[in-house]
Amino acid sequence: MSNSENCIFCKIVKGEIPASVIFEDDQCMAFMDIFPVSKGHCLLIPKEHYVNMMDVDLDVLAHLSKKLAELTRKVHKVLRPDGILNSVANGKGAGQEVPHLHFHIIPRNVGDPFGFRFPPDYRESMAPREELDSLAEKFRSA
Ligand code: 5GP
Ligand code: ZN
């Protein structure tokens, strides 16, 4: 369960613990990740405590999306990496450790040691069309 009382990102929003802030407005805040996986790794969060994409207010998310693009462009302008990964983990199974919605902005370069790891043989066979159609139908009507 999530609790804004002892949430580390809520504490950053309240100024109770330090952070290297990039920008903030009434709805969101961007700051440097304290354990960067690459130089320039930073985070964008809503100021209000939402756990992740499952509960975030959609208007707040629309604002965050715009700010995510702005921040990604700023990081690109300053560091000129080969690429930038934007990611968000929703839930423990997806690797979410801090239960306050956050977007990662991670500069990437060709050959860098960081990346998603897929099983080596995962492209040996495509998924059966029936299964893809069935899942697509479930998602369509959800
Ligand atoms: P997650 O694994 O939940 O997607 O990512 C959480 C991120 O928050 C990690 O990249 C981690 O380094 C970062 N992080 C955890 N605690 C702090 C902190 O106190 N300050 C900052 N700036 N980043 C933090
Ligand atoms: Zn929080």
Side-chain angles (χ1 to χ4, degrees), residues 3-120:
N3 181 348
S4 60
E5 284 295 302
N6 43 36
C7 168
I8 197 119
F9 288 173
C10 283
K11 286 184 177 160
I12 287 176
V13 170
K14 287 185 262 177
E16 290 173 7
I17 60 168
S20 298
V21 176
I22 304 163
F23 62 68
E24 66 180 302
D25 62 20
D26 57 325
Q27 293 183 59
C28 71
M29 190 172 197
F31 51 88
M32 301 309 297
D33 196 297
I34 206 165
F35 300 116
V37 296
S38 68
K39 182 183 160 194
H41 180 183
C42 52
L43 302 168
L44 174 70
I45 65 166
K47 282 190 166 173
E48 204 167 315
H49 182 88
Y50 297 103
V51 177
N52 55 37
M53 289 294 216
M54 310 306 169
D55 66 338
V56 64
D57 176 272
L58 294 183
D59 289 331
V60 172
L61 183 61
H63 180 72
L64 284 168
S65 301
K66 190 163 171 255
K67 291 292 165 182
L68 179 62
E70 284 178 15
L71 179 54
T72 302
R73 290 170 194 196
K74 281 178 196 287
V75 172
H76 184 255
K77 189 174 159 191
V78 173
L79 295 177
R80 296 278 165 196
D82 294 336
I84 297 184
L85 175 68
N86 293 144
S87 78
V88 53
N90 300 292
K92 273 204 173 103
Q96 183 176 16
E97 289 182 358
V98 177
H100 180 131
L101 174 65
H102 51 280
F103 292 88
H104 292 266
I105 297 90
I106 305 176
R108 297 286 314 273
N109 284 292
V110 174
D112 67 25
F114 167 78
F116 288 113
R117 296 282 177 267
F118 293 95

